[in-house]
């Protein structure tokens, strides 16, 4: 149900309560609007996260928005929504604050919920970021397996910009594993996929990776 549909449903329930005397309709209306609030909090939090990526300044509202979305989705029994919101809680701690210890439990729970809900997009994000935490801990094999599974999911759902981003990550992992030829092949593939997808930011990551990984 879209946000517009939910708001219209709440209006109908209001009228049912006021004019037909159905007091039970009010509880349903409140839950319907809780879903709207959760969707809006999640969407606004994502926008603030994108702004951080542009400006590298944390907005103090972001974490609260994601936590509120997770709380509302949990109360509503919306497994998919809660999993997505918890991913973003973990992402904030990981990307913005560099706090893997706090991020990992959120990612772990998000992984469970996304798997239960069959939400392949969120799961692909969770696995990507878990790969980065494994990489930071020096567990390269585990990081590669997680990134490869994320990439497989992204190919399956047609998320080509995300595939390109993951290929850059796999290129770095191959370089760390002392596999320079495989690393450069992955970076070349990332460039081709990013170009086809119009993923210009990922193309900048490709250029940075080539600068980092090519011999001087």
């Amino acid at each position: 149900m879209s946000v517009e549909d939910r708001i219209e449903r709440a209006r109908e329930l209001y009228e049912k309560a006021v004019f037909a005397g159905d007091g039970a309709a009010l509880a349903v209306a409140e839950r319907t609007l809780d879903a709207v609030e959760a969707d809006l909090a999640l969407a606004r939090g994502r926008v603030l996260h994108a702004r951080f990526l542009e400006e590298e300044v944390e907005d103090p509202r972001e974490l609260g928005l994601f936590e509120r979305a997770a709380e509302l989705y949990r109360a509503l029994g919306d497994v998919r929504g809660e999993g997505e919101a918890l991913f973003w809680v973990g992402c904030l701690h990981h990307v913005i604050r560099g706090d893997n210890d706090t991020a990992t439990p959120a990612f772990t729970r998000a992984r469970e919920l996304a798997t239960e809900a069959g939400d392949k997009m969120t799961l692909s994000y969770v696995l990507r970021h878990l790969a980065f935490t494994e990489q930071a801990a020096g567990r390269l094999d585990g990081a590669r397996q997680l990134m490869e599974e994320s990439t497989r999911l992204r190919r399956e759902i047609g998320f080509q910009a995300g595939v390109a981003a993951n290929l850059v990550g796999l290129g770095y992992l191959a370089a760390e594993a002392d596999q320079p030829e495989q690393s450069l092949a992955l970076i070349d593939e990332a460039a081709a996929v990013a170009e086809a997808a119009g993923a210009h930011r990922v193309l900048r990551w490709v250029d940075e990776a080539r600068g980092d990984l090519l011999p001087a």
Side-chain angles (χ1 to χ4, degrees):
M1 185 180 292
S2 70
V3 170
E4 294 82 359
D5 290 339
R6 283 173 171 156
I7 292 174
E8 176 61 20
R9 175 63 174 154
R11 186 192 64 78
E12 292 169 355
L13 290 163
Y14 152 79
E15 291 183 352
K16 190 174 182 181
V18 171
F19 298 113
D22 185 356
L26 295 175
V28 180
E30 288 173 349
R31 286 176 59 84
T32 301
L33 292 175
D34 282 346
V36 173
E37 182 183 347
D39 291 346
L40 179 59
L42 184 60
R44 192 177 296 279
R46 284 197 302 261
V47 169
L48 293 181
H49 191 80
R51 189 173 298 282
F52 168 82
L53 297 178
E54 291 291 332
E55 301 174 0
E56 297 187 355
V57 177
E58 179 180 352
D59 189 304
R61 298 173 294 172
E62 184 180 335
L63 180 58
L65 287 165
F66 290 140
E67 289 178 336
R68 178 61 174 160
E71 175 189 358
L72 288 166
Y73 285 131
R74 188 179 307 118
L76 291 165
D78 186 335
V79 173
R80 190 211 61 77
E82 184 186 356
E84 185 178 0
L86 285 176
F87 160 72
W88 285 106
V89 170
C91 188
L92 182 146
H93 286 293
H94 177 212
V95 173
I96 296 180
R97 300 182 178 179
D99 183 356
N100 288 344
D101 289 340
T102 303
T104 298
F107 286 148
T108 300
R109 182 58 177 153
R111 182 181 187 178
E112 294 169 353
L113 293 170
T115 300
E116 180 181 344
D119 183 356
K120 294 179 182 180
M121 177 66 84
T122 295
L123 184 57
S124 81
Y125 272 103
V126 173
L127 295 174
R128 170 180 168 83
H129 283 266
L130 283 172
F132 289 138
T133 63
E134 288 289 288
Q135 183 179 13
R139 296 186 287 268
L140 298 184
D141 286 345
R144 178 182 52 77
Q145 290 170 9
L146 288 163
M147 192 70 79
E148 286 178 345
E149 176 61 12
S150 173
T151 306
R152 184 191 69 77
L153 288 169
R154 290 179 168 193
R155 290 188 193 277
E156 185 176 319
I157 61 179
F159 182 26
Q160 293 301 99
V163 170
N166 279 8
L167 290 169
V168 174
L170 286 167
Y172 277 105
L173 286 168
E176 284 193 54
D178 198 24
Q179 299 171 326
E181 292 184 3
Q182 182 179 357
S183 174
L184 294 175
L186 286 162
I187 296 301
D188 287 343
E189 184 182 359
V193 175
E195 180 70 33
H200 302 295
R201 184 186 293 272
V202 179
L203 286 171
R204 293 201 295 271
W205 297 347
V206 166
D207 290 339
E208 291 170 6
R210 283 176 172 153
D212 292 340
L213 301 177
L214 284 172

